[in-house]
Amino acid sequence: MANKNLNIKKPKFSFTWFYMVVGGALLLFYLFGDNKENMVMQKEYSELTELITKGYVERITVYDNDDIEAYIYKDSAGYVFKEKNIAKGVHPMVVSTIGSRDNFEKFIFEQKDNGNFKGTLNYDKKPDYLGGFLWNILPFVVIVGVWIFLMRKMSGGGGGQGGVFNVGKSQAKLFDKGNQPKITFKDVAGQEGAKQEVKEIVDFLKNPQVYTELGGKIPKGALLVGPPGTGKTLLAKAVAGEANVPFFSMSGSDFVEMFVGVGASRVRDLFRQAKEKAPCIIFIDEIDAVGRARGKNPNMGGNDERENTLNQLLTEMDGFGTNSGIIVIAATNRADILDKALLRAGRFDRQIHVDLPDLNERKEVFKVHLSPLKLDQSVEIDTLARQTPGFSGADIANVCNEAALIAARNQKKAVDKQDFLDAIDRIIGGLEKKTKVMTQKEKETIAIHEAGHATISWFLEHANPLIKVTIVPRGRALGAAWYMPEERQITTKEQMLDEMCATLGGRAAEEAFIGHISTGAMNDLERVTKQAYGMIAYAGMSDKLSNLCYYNNNEYSFNRPYSEKTAETIDNEVHKMINEQYERAKELLREHKEGHAELAKLLMEREVIFAEDVEKIFGKRPWTSRSEEIFASNENVAEETAQAEATEQPEAEPTVTA
Ligand code: ADP
Ligand code: ZN
């Protein structure tokens, strides 16, 4: 292949080498730099005395070991040394050894008297050359040693691949054919939607020509979005396993080091390795560690190093051809904080959601992780799945393992139901802070809350049509009602009020049917408040401040374009509007009390219910809307709608009320 020749390894320029060379040069200069100014010749004592009597000697140093150094006048050097031209700064010198100090002194005094020697005679201690050498070099040794030590520590130490020379190398783990048990889609339980989407990637890797022949471009990247432990890494590995290609695994935080340029150089190295192994998959976990949106405010200064790394990643992704066979799969649980540039077409343009498993999916996951265990008759997958709301796949794997350990500790022959219950308790106890794991009571509260949203939106003409309601925690929300927003460029006051009423339906249901309200509605309230302010201050939709827009374009200006009194009026109007809608919601809920209760019960049981289920309870929705057809045909509705409006408009995607 042609590009084989291009891959000949060039010695790579790296900062480490640069530092080493500079350090070495300094060391050499320091050690030997000033020695070259001497021109030295060894002579017999008699020869030396002769030189002194001839008057060639400028000054003499006698050392304690009777060594002697005699500096020769420069203009006499020609007689002593064969060569005549002596470079500037060079001191010609003759060294010798004296027999008797007394005799030598007497000799020097004589020569002084008769004027042959005019210089000075010094006594000195013989410099300890070896010691001197050590003293010269030791500080350098220490400094270089400390430096190497730090480098080693900082570049991750373990794994045997750290070290000074490897800072710029990518730390990617390579799972090649054969060095790992193959993971396939069978190992990933549930996540049918996500699997469906990544199957396409497998196809691209296996038969690229099918796509390229038609002129299509194979995607370069896919982003797996979901909370930790839901099997994103597993899914990416399964893609590699199914396509039978090597798999590079790396975490976004591996790119981040203290040294400038290291992250970018690691990205480069990763892609270089990947190109050699293509077709292959690069998996970057926690991409948000490098991919967070770059600083918007130029005054604040940003994390330049992270930005460099991100830029390098973008460059690399643009750099390889679409059919070079590299597909980058990244995982994050916060797609919203990623830099927009990463999500652009040709980079991570596919987002695949990997959510916490619902009841049925949890059963599937249990099946996978129970299969290697020796189980007692008492274990029922169904009960286990019911007992573990909010557990991720990783939590479930953990439960199974923990149960086996507990059983072993009690010297049981097989793992029984009680072991699993204990394991679940332990995981919940240990996990509370880590992931969202709900108690039965909380689950009920959330079900009543979400059923409230669903009921109200069902009976309000202008509320967005419901798609599904879940009580599976997702991101920071504990449950969610999904709506399909209508595609519209302008929104009427009635539509907004109905939406507000539906959003308040969660809290209203809590108050009406549980008796006390909870923090679970905070998100809703925040939205409602913003929306009401938008309607009143910007859209002029209140009676008292009709047709006035106080929209302030400059977000950094803190001056309000209205008076204190108006501010008060706005506040009052907002209060009034929200209160009215809240009362309206409670009213509606009381009216449909039975239906709501049934819905909540169904939600507790199934965790996810769809519009059809709601229809079975309440009957057909009195109003049909064209958005249902839109939903059937296409999910990407209303891309630009939200921005076109001055008021707070929920996102373009299916709207979610927590
Ligand atoms: P993530 O990358 O989303 O944080 P991982 O893929 O590392 O999660 O999952 C960790 C472990 O949890 C996996 O190795 C597997 O044992 C288990 N696991 C998670 N999700 C699933 C699933 N859907 N099916 C089977 N096992 C799963
Ligand atoms: Zn809510």
Side-chain angles (χ1 to χ4, degrees):
M1 273 202 303
N3 67 350
K4 268 273 153 64
N5 303 327
L6 297 174
N7 277 341
I8 297 167
K9 279 187 196 150
K10 281 179 240 144
K12 208 160 55 89
F13 175 80
S14 107
F15 279 98
T16 321
W17 281 108
F18 178 71
Y19 292 140
M20 297 286 283
V21 167
V22 169
L26 278 176
L27 186 67
L28 286 176
F29 183 76
Y30 184 68
L31 282 180
F32 305 111
D34 57 3
N35 284 354
K36 67 166 189 251
E37 49 184 74
N38 288 334
M39 190 174 179
V40 188
M41 192 179 262
Q42 180 88 35
K43 295 249 180 210
E44 292 294 316
Y45 178 61
S46 54
E47 289 175 293
L48 177 67
T49 49
E50 197 188 323
L51 290 177
I52 295 172
T53 45
K54 282 190 178 156
Y56 294 161
V57 175
E58 189 182 355
R59 63 194 156 91
I60 297 170
T61 308
V62 180
Y63 290 105
D64 50 356
N65 64 349
D66 291 342
D67 275 352
I68 183 168
E69 284 177 8
Y71 288 92
I72 309 294
Y73 284 115
K74 277 209 183 142
D75 40 9
S76 319
Y79 302 104
V80 185
F81 300 95
K82 293 285 161 293
E83 56 206 287
K84 267 202 155 173
N85 35 353
I86 289 152
K88 243 195 179 163
V90 170
H91 286 284
M93 182 169 74
V94 169
V95 292
S96 186
T97 316
I98 46 173
S100 141
R101 222 175 247 239
D102 291 342
N103 285 348
F104 182 68
E105 261 171 39
K106 231 158 88 194
F107 167 74
I108 289 293
F109 282 129
E110 279 171 28
Q111 298 308 314
K112 269 201 165 165
D113 284 344
N114 60 31
N116 291 336
F117 180 66
K118 299 194 187 73
T120 51
L121 174 65
N122 300 311
Y123 295 93
D124 208 344
K125 264 178 79 173
K126 182 83 189 166
D128 172 4
Y129 278 117
L130 184 68
F133 181 72
L134 272 184
W135 274 116
N136 276 337
I137 202 173
L138 201 66
F140 282 97
V141 171
V142 170
I143 290 170
V144 170
V146 168
W147 181 59
I148 289 176
F149 174 74
L150 285 180
M151 292 286 256
R152 237 171 237 235
K153 278 224 116 156
M154 279 184 291
S155 57
Q161 48 177 356
V164 212
F165 305 110
N166 286 327
V167 212
K169 293 265 167 66
S170 89
Q171 320 252 307
K173 267 195 270 139
L174 172 65
F175 298 93
D176 214 337
K177 300 156 203 168
N179 80 356
Q180 276 274 314
K182 200 167 131 180
I183 289 174
T184 63
F185 285 141
K186 268 201 234 79
D187 299 294
V188 188
Q191 309 293 6
E192 288 309 323
K195 265 197 252 177
Q196 201 55 46
E197 296 206 40
V198 295
K199 265 188 191 132
E200 220 181 8
I201 297 179
V202 175
D203 252 19
F204 289 145
L205 286 167
K206 271 184 170 165
N207 319 304
Q209 64 287 0
V210 174
Y211 297 88
T212 48
E213 262 168 22
L214 293 176
K217 276 195 190 135
I218 291 177
K220 293 174 180 177
L223 191 65
L224 300 174
V225 187
T230 44
K232 297 185 291 296
T233 313
L234 200 64
L235 203 59
K237 274 188 190 164
V239 171
E242 292 278 340
N244 214 4
V245 298
F247 177 82
F248 289 91
S249 170
M250 194 161 177
S251 169
S253 52
D254 292 344
F255 291 117
V256 185
E257 282 279 4
M258 264 182 67
F259 299 106
V260 174
V262 169
S265 130
R266 280 187 184 163
V267 172
R268 237 174 285 132
D269 192 57
L270 175 65
F271 278 84
R272 186 185 52 73
Q273 284 182 38
K275 271 175 210 156
E276 282 167 18
K277 291 261 182 188
C280 67
I281 285 179
I282 296 179
F283 178 67
I284 305 175
D285 206 355
E286 298 171 44
I287 184 124
D288 35 306
V290 279
R292 215 168 314 141
R294 283 167 287 191
K296 289 202 183 73
N297 189 343
N299 303 330
M300 300 285 276
N303 183 342
D304 285 343
E305 170 57 2
R306 191 168 52 73
E307 287 182 15
N308 285 343
T309 312
L310 175 58
N311 286 337
Q312 187 63 40
L313 185 64
L314 296 175
T315 314
E316 291 289 346
M317 285 195 75
D318 289 342
F320 63 79
T322 39
N323 31 21
S324 65
I326 302 177
I327 290 188
V328 189
I329 299 182
T332 178
N333 53 357
R334 299 280 318 270
D336 51 322
I337 59 168
L338 291 183
D339 199 282
K340 291 280 174 292
L342 264 179
L343 307 177
R344 216 168 284 147
R347 290 157 186 171
F348 296 106
D349 45 1
R350 279 164 195 247
Q351 287 194 28
I352 301 170
H353 285 269
V354 185
D355 283 334
L356 285 175
D358 62 20
L359 184 64
N360 283 320
E361 288 176 316
R362 288 203 299 273
K363 274 187 217 164
E364 299 296 316
V365 182
F366 264 113
K367 270 182 209 152
V368 170
H369 291 283
L370 287 178
S371 63
L373 302 184
K374 247 186 169 175
L375 294 181
D376 186 79
Q377 294 275 304
S378 59
V379 179
E380 287 164 3
I381 289 185
D382 204 61
T383 347
L384 289 181
R386 264 173 215 292
Q387 295 281 339
T388 47
F391 276 48
S392 67
D395 295 338
I396 291 175
N398 212 352
V399 165
C400 295
N401 188 49
E402 193 70 31
L405 295 183
I406 293 174
R409 210 169 294 143
N410 299 328
Q411 272 120 28
K412 288 186 189 164
K413 289 256 170 340
V415 193
D416 65 24
K417 190 176 168 189
Q418 193 53 46
D419 300 327
F420 277 99
L421 295 183
D422 291 349
I424 290 171
D425 284 350
R426 171 164 302 179
I427 304 285
I428 291 181
L431 282 183
E432 238 147 29
K433 278 158 243 112
K434 254 174 45 191
T435 52
K436 293 190 183 76
V437 169
M438 288 181 276
T439 64
Q440 199 64 18
K441 183 83 195 145
E442 279 173 332
K443 203 172 154 184
E444 196 185 329
T445 310
I446 296 163
I448 286 177
H449 178 109
E450 298 303 336
H453 288 307
T455 308
I456 296 206
S457 64
W458 198 259
F459 288 105
L460 291 180
E461 179 174 359
H462 303 293
N464 287 323
L466 190 74
I467 301 166
K468 67 172 180 183
V469 190
T470 73
I471 55 168
V472 182
R474 182 178 187 278
R476 270 164 301 169
L478 295 169
W482 296 63
Y483 307 98
M484 181 44 58
E486 299 222 24
E487 189 177 14
R488 54 192 177 206
Q489 303 300 321
I490 46 170
T491 316
T492 64
K493 188 175 171 186
E494 288 71 35
Q495 285 165 338
M496 299 191 81
L497 289 178
D498 279 5
E499 243 159 58
M500 194 180 284
C501 183
T503 312
L504 286 164
R507 157 134 318 175
E510 284 179 40
E511 198 197 317
F513 303 125
I514 307 177
H516 36 82
I517 52 180
S518 72
T519 53
M522 224 154 77
N523 212 343
D524 297 339
L525 298 185
E526 186 189 333
R527 269 184 47 180
V528 165
T529 314
K530 270 195 195 152
Q531 197 185 13
Y533 269 103
M535 287 173 71
I536 286 160
Y538 302 156
M541 282 185 178
S542 81
D543 303 332
K544 289 222 178 106
L545 296 166
S546 53
N547 305 335
L548 282 168
C549 173
Y550 294 114
Y551 186 66
N552 184 357
N553 241 329
N554 185 357
E555 57 181 311
Y556 294 111
S557 143
F558 295 105
N559 297 329
R560 286 181 311 208
Y562 44 78
S563 69
E564 280 298 321
K565 194 153 163 279
T566 311
E568 215 181 301
T569 319
I570 292 177
D571 287 341
N572 290 337
E573 289 288 285
V574 166
H575 263 238
K576 204 177 112 214
M577 180 180 274
I578 294 178
N579 278 341
E580 272 171 23
Q581 292 310 316
Y582 188 63
E583 288 308 319
R584 187 167 162 226
K586 278 202 290 193
E587 185 73 35
L588 255 172
L589 282 171
R590 274 188 222 110
E591 206 176 302
H592 299 280
K593 197 172 161 185
E594 290 77 27
H596 172 271
E598 215 175 309
L599 241 174
K601 207 171 127 241
L602 198 65
L603 252 181
M604 295 267 291
E605 249 172 63
R606 291 218 229 130
E607 295 183 3
V608 186
I609 56 174
F610 296 89
E612 301 92 78
D613 303 304
V614 185
E615 197 174 298
K616 265 182 218 144
I617 294 174
F618 289 127
K620 248 200 157 13
R621 202 164 173 234
W623 303 275
T624 44
S625 71
R626 63 193 176 103
S627 64
E628 265 142 43
E629 297 143 38
I630 293 167
F631 177 51
S633 62
N634 179 15
E635 283 200 36
N636 301 327
V637 186
E639 281 283 352
E640 271 89 18
T641 337
Q643 288 186 348
E645 285 152 332
T647 45
E648 280 284 326
Q649 176 77 10
E651 308 108 60
E653 267 189 82
T655 335
V656 180
T657 347

